[in-house]
Amino acid sequence: MTRDDSTGAAPQAVIAASLRRERTRAGLSLTEVASRAGVAKSTLSQLESGTGNPSLETLWALCVALDMPLSRLLDPPRPSVQVIRAGDGPVVVAEHANYRATLLAASPLHARRDIFRITAEPGHARKSDPHIPGSVEHVLLATGRALTGLSDAPVELGPGDYLAYPSDLPHVFEALEPGTTATLIVEYT
C-alpha cells in the first residue's frame, strides 16, 4: 500500500475506517467476516485498527465477504471535481505478481463500477479469485502486451485492444512486456 497524496490520508487509515463501517453496516462480527473471507481474525482486526498492510488478494476476499466493490474500501469522500495526477491515488499491490492497481474513480451512489490504472511487469501472473456475483471486468490495454481474461482462456492484448469478461470466475492478468499499463473498469450488477 502506498500513501494517497490526493487526500493526504494513508490508505491503511481509509481502509480501516471503511472496513469497520461496512462490517457494522452488514451487522457482522469480526469472526464472521474473517471466516467468510478466509483470512485470520487477527488479520482483520489489524486491518480495522489501521496497523495491517493488506495485499490486493486480501482486500478482494474481504469485499466478496461483505458483498461490496473494492473501491468502497479505498475511496474516501471526494469533491465533485477530481483530478488524480499520474503516480497519485490509492494503490494496492498483488501478493505474488508485479501488479499495481490505482483507484481512479469509485462507483457513485446508484451505480456500481470502479476504474483503476494498472501497471504490471513480466514475471508472475496476477491470478484473481472470483469477485462478487455478476461482476464484469473491462480491460483497455495502453502500453505493452498482456495475457488477460478468464484463467482457462486468457487472451493476448496489445496497445489499444479491449477485452470484457465475467470477473465472478477465476481470471488472470499477466504482463508480457516491461512497462505494461492498462485501464481496468470493474462493473458490478
Side-chain angles (χ1 to χ4, degrees), residues 4-182:
D4 175 2
D5 293 325
S6 64
T7 66
Q12 289 87 345
V14 173
I15 289 169
S18 298
L19 277 173
R20 285 190 306 274
R21 178 188 69 237
E22 295 299 322
R23 184 177 57 78
T24 300
R25 177 196 56 79
L28 300 172
S29 68
L30 275 171
T31 302
E32 191 167 1
V33 172
S35 175
R36 287 181 181 187
V39 301
K41 180 180 173 183
S42 60
T43 299
L44 180 56
S45 179
Q46 287 175 343
L47 294 177
E48 283 197 8
S49 70
T51 59
N53 191 15
S55 68
L56 182 58
E57 292 80 4
T58 298
L59 294 178
W60 272 118
L62 290 167
C63 289
V64 169
L66 291 166
D67 189 31
M68 60 184 253
L70 177 67
S71 64
R72 202 174 296 164
L73 287 183
L74 301 173
D75 197 40
R78 298 197 183 268
S80 59
V81 175
Q82 175 184 348
V83 174
I84 299 177
R85 302 284 181 204
D88 288 347
V91 175
V92 290
V93 297
E95 189 172 11
H96 301 291
N98 191 345
Y99 177 98
R100 299 166 52 92
T102 303
L103 179 65
L104 300 177
S107 182
L109 291 177
H110 309 297
R112 292 183 49 108
R113 63 91 187 110
D114 300 324
I115 304 171
F116 296 89
R117 176 187 310 118
I118 302 301
T119 59
E121 297 296 330
H124 295 285
R126 159 75 177 110
K127 296 177 182 176
S128 298
D129 288 329
H131 301 328
I132 61 178
S135 59
V136 174
E137 288 191 358
H138 304 264
V139 176
L140 177 60
L141 203 73
T143 61
R145 287 184 317 113
L147 194 60
T148 189
L150 296 177
S151 294
D152 60 359
V155 176
E156 185 173 326
L157 300 180
D161 290 347
Y162 164 82
L163 175 68
Y165 52 88
S167 55
D168 57 359
L169 298 171
H171 51 286
V172 64
F173 187 101
E174 180 178 2
L176 301 175
E177 291 182 3
T180 296
T181 61

